[in-house]
Every structure is written in structure tokens, then in C-alpha cells.
Amino acid sequence: MSESSAARTDATVSGEDEVVDLCRDLIRIDTSNYGDHSGPGERAAAEYVAEKLAEVGVEPHIYESHPGRASTVARIEGADPSRPPLLIHGHLDVVPANAQDWTLPPFSGEISEGCVWGRGAVDMKDMDAMTLAVVRDRLRSGRKPPRDIVLAFLADEEAGGIFGARHLVDNHPDLFEGVTEAIGEVGGFSFQVREDLRLYLIETAEKGMHWMRLTVEGTAGHGSMTNTDNAITELTEAVARLGRHEWPVRITKTVRSFLDELSDALGTTLDPEDMDATLAKLGGIARMIGTTLRNSAAPTMLSAGYKVNVIPGEATAHVDGRFLPGFEEEFLADVDRIIGPRVRREDAHGDKALETTFDGALVDAMQSALVAEDPIARAVPYMLSGGTDAKSFSDLGIRCFGFAPLKLPADLDFAGMFHGIDERVPVDGLQFGTRVLDRFLDAC
């Protein structure tokens, strides 16, 4: 913990003052998630969050789904308890980082070039820090939110949320009683299209996932012998077909809305049938948007054999499959056709696609809070190509949005920050997001 952020409970300290230190502290807690039962640092991060909440009079509760896999949940009393509570959720775990690949140590939380650097800076300890900063500021100054707020700082999102959000939804649904709406990660970030207009992309949809295990059984034998039933050959040919497949464009409601907003902002018509030209106008977010136009299946792991002169009897591959809302059946049928009958497909992990409409009082509150801090802001809906803990919370009937507001430099490769090297978040972006979140709570 940095000296500057230790026990800063003075009422004169604002959320904007301490958000950077909170983010740095969280980054310094290595919460790498390796996708197994281990969760180094998640318990420490949950305890850090609980301590920061307790300092301002909140009664946090830590829920451990497995030794070390811990989440912190708290409820903040609002001015009108008859209104449905709002859930603000964020995950504390991060994907691993190889320090040798980074310019600065990934768990140092160093400040350089106007940014806080480190694993989790944008995914998503920035939002965790902003949420803590806003809540601590409001409670120090005695400003209740208009309605109850449920805070959930979660384990295991980076491996599907089994030990985090899914555990809480399945085993402690009472924690979210009455909640109808939620905000979480990967939304509310800026994309400047003109000098007089910045779009802020609000996540209203997520692709579904099918993490698949592909298996081929062949005839084992000596590596020197001709073998026309080689499992490796059959599998790699199938995986190559899948990895190179050109998936057809499918325009969902959310993507159609985004393209309409972008067309208006650019003053030109964007043709869904010529997406290369459309994506060329999107700069750094083209990768993020481009993957929401199609289903996808990315081969990620291969395994076979135990000795160079032995042809194995079995070969396996893992594939990260993602499907658009409403296109799951088409996706699976296409996968089966592409890989062929010799390949056995099994689900390693799956979750549904999500999509909600871009309307209502909560959306109005986002727009008004953004414009108050950035007069050229316009909130627009978009689809996330990955998944978040919203998938678990939606099972409770909660309408989920991605809203972690950041005003970003036009030249920052924001999409490349997610799971990439040299992950970093601008200091002034953190402070901007803290101000916007505070206004948002007043308006929602």
C-alpha cells in the first residue's frame, strides 16, 4: 500500500484526489488468474477493498468460494430505499503478465508518461479504484446516493467467474435482492470522431462463448511407418479449416444502432456489406468492433503425443468460440460442418450471449453525467466481443451495462491494452471517470 493512500479518511480528500493511489495499490497486489483453483492475491485484494470500505463506515463481507478465491460485497444505503438498488460490479483478478515483455514492471503501479502502468490498469482495477474513490468520497461527505448501491468486487472473472460472480449468484442470491440494473466493465470509454464530437461506447451486448475441446482418435503406431489414420494429421487439418474460416457478417440490433450512430457522427453512410471500409474509419477500436460483426472460433491450444517416434492414438485441441446474440445454433452447426465427422467436439466452458436495449433512465443518467464533464460527449451502444460477469448477474433478471467511464487520448490503443503488454491508463482519465461516476450516481 502506498503511504499516500493509507487510511486517507479526511473529509477534505476527494475521490478525484485518491483514485490514482487506489488504482496503484490494487495493481501492486498480484491477482493473476491462471485458470485453475489457485488465485494468488485475490484474497489480499478482497481484504484491501474491505478495509477501504470499512474506513468510511461501510460493513463489507468477504465470501470465499475456495481457499484464496475471495470476493467482497457491500450495500450502501440510499436516500430512497423503496427504489430498486443499483449493482456496481468489478473483478479483482487479472490475466498473468510476463515481466520480461513489459517496459515497466507489470505489478509496480508506476506512473510514467501521464499514465498508471500495470496489469489490470484497464482490466479492470481502474474501475475498481474509481468505484472505491467515489463511494469513499460520498460517505466521508455524507452524500447518500438516490437509491441503495450494491458493490461487488469479484474473483475469477478472467476464467469465467466460477469462483466469483457465478458462485455468489448460485449460493448467495440474497445479496442482490431487488437489484434490477447494473454497471460494470468495458464501456463508457471515448472515441473521438471529430473535433466537436466524442463518442462514448456503452456496452449493451456481449457475444456468447463456447470454449471447445476437439478430439480425434486415430491408430497409434511407429513413427517410421506409413499411417493413413494419424490423429494429429486429421485434427490439425480440421483446426486449420476452422481457424481460417471466413465467418459471414451478421448485423445484430446493437451493432446496427452503433453503425447508425457512427454514420451520423461521420456524416456518411456505412455499408454493412463493405465492413473493411467501415472498420478503416475506426482507428484503434476497429479490432474491438470488427469482432462483433461475426461469430468467431480461434484455435488456442494443441496437445498430442509423448515421443517423437510414436504416432499417438489421440490428439486434442482447444478453441475459443464466440457467437453473436441470436446466432448460437448457426454457430455450432457451422463449427460441426467445418471440423467434419471425425472430430469429436465437447464444450469446455460455455455461456450465453447478452443484449439489452439502449434506453431508460439509467442510460439518460450516463449521457448527462458524461456531457457535464465533456460537453462534446455522446453516449452510443456497442457490443463487447468478449464476456464479463454480467452473464452471471443477468440470471437474476438484472439488466447489465458496461460503463467504466474514461476520456482517452485519441492516439492510445485502448483495445490493445486488454490482456496486452504495457497495459496502462491515463491519470487524467481516472480522474475524469471518478467525476463522471459521481455525477452518474446523483442522476440515476
Side-chain angles (χ1 to χ4, degrees), residues 47-67:
E47 290 175 350
Y48 172 87
V49 168
E51 175 190 343
K52 290 299 173 186
L53 293 173
E55 283 178 358
V56 291
V58 178
E59 185 179 357
H61 299 275
I62 296 178
Y63 296 86
E64 199 169 58
S65 56
H66 188 274

Side-chain angles (χ1 to χ4, degrees), residues 214 216 228 230-245 299 302 315 317 337-340 342-343:
L214 307 182
V216 171
T228 59
N230 189 315
I232 293 178
T233 303
E234 185 73 33
L235 180 69
T236 53
E237 288 176 348
V239 167
R241 290 194 300 272
L242 191 60
R244 295 193 180 104
H245 180 66
L302 285 169
R337 174 179 53 80
I338 294 164
I339 62 177
R342 281 290 312 278
V343 182

Side-chain angles (χ1 to χ4, degrees), residues 5-271:
S5 66
R8 302 212 305 180
T9 58
D10 191 319
T12 62
V13 176
S14 72
E16 190 177 350
D17 291 332
E18 70 172 356
V19 66
V20 173
D21 289 328
L22 291 167
C23 187
R24 297 179 72 194
D25 285 350
L26 286 167
I27 289 171
R28 289 170 180 148
I29 304 171
D30 182 354
T31 54
S32 298
N33 188 339
Y34 293 93
D36 54 20
H37 285 181
S38 66
E42 284 180 334
R43 176 80 198 197
E47 290 175 350
Y48 172 87
V49 168
E51 175 190 343
K52 290 299 173 186
L53 293 173
E55 283 178 358
V56 291
V58 178
E59 185 179 357
H61 299 275
I62 296 178
Y63 296 86
E64 199 169 58
S65 56
H66 188 274
R69 314 307 301 272
S71 302
T72 298
V73 181
R75 186 175 286 242
I76 312 296
E77 183 181 349
D80 184 358
S82 68
R83 293 185 59 196
L86 172 72
L87 169 64
I88 303 178
H89 61 94
H91 63 87
L92 296 170
D93 65 319
V94 297
V95 295
N98 184 354
Q100 293 179 340
D101 297 334
W102 287 58
T103 303
L104 296 173
F107 298 103
S108 65
E110 290 189 32
I111 296 178
S112 178
E113 301 176 359
C115 293
V116 179
W117 292 57
R119 177 59 85 218
V122 300
D123 188 14
M124 60 168 298
K125 290 179 176 179
D126 57 340
M127 178 61 169
D128 295 332
M130 290 190 289
T131 302
L132 278 175
V134 169
V135 167
R136 283 166 58 84
D137 183 26
R138 296 183 74 95
L139 292 178
R140 281 192 299 257
S141 58
R143 294 183 297 129
K144 284 187 175 182
R147 52 172 160 166
D148 286 5
I149 304 294
V150 177
L151 303 175
F153 297 87
L154 303 157
D156 198 38
E157 189 276 343
E158 296 292 3
I162 302 301
F163 294 105
R166 174 51 53 192
H167 173 79
L168 293 179
V169 166
D170 289 345
N171 296 280
H172 304 282
D174 54 298
L175 294 172
F176 311 102
E177 184 176 356
V179 173
T180 57
E181 297 170 312
I183 61 169
E185 63 175 326
V186 204
F189 56 91
S190 67
F191 167 57
Q192 187 153 354
V193 292
R194 304 194 307 255
E195 288 188 3
D196 62 343
L197 179 62
R198 245 186 305 270
L199 301 183
Y200 285 82
L201 280 62
I202 312 299
E203 189 221 302
T204 61
E206 296 181 4
K207 291 175 81 171
M209 67 172 68
H210 276 287
W211 292 350
M212 297 171 281
R213 182 186 303 104
L214 307 182
T215 304
V216 171
E217 295 177 355
T219 302
H222 199 287
S224 67
M225 303 290 184
T226 300
N227 188 327
T228 59
D229 189 31
N230 189 315
I232 293 178
T233 303
E234 185 73 33
L235 180 69
T236 53
E237 288 176 348
V239 167
R241 290 194 300 272
L242 191 60
R244 295 193 180 104
H245 180 66
E246 293 288 335
W247 299 87
V249 170
R250 297 286 185 257
I251 303 298
T252 61
K253 290 183 293 184
T254 295
V255 171
R256 178 75 271 171
S257 295
F258 172 77
L259 293 176
D260 288 345
E261 292 280 1
L262 189 61
S263 295
D264 180 67
L266 295 173
T268 185
T269 300
L270 298 178
D271 182 5

Side-chain angles (χ1 to χ4, degrees), residues 316-334:
T316 62
H318 284 78
V319 174
D320 184 347
R322 309 283 174 146
F323 59 90
L324 299 167
F327 290 92
E328 182 175 11
E329 290 186 6
E330 177 184 289
F331 169 72
L332 292 176
D334 284 347

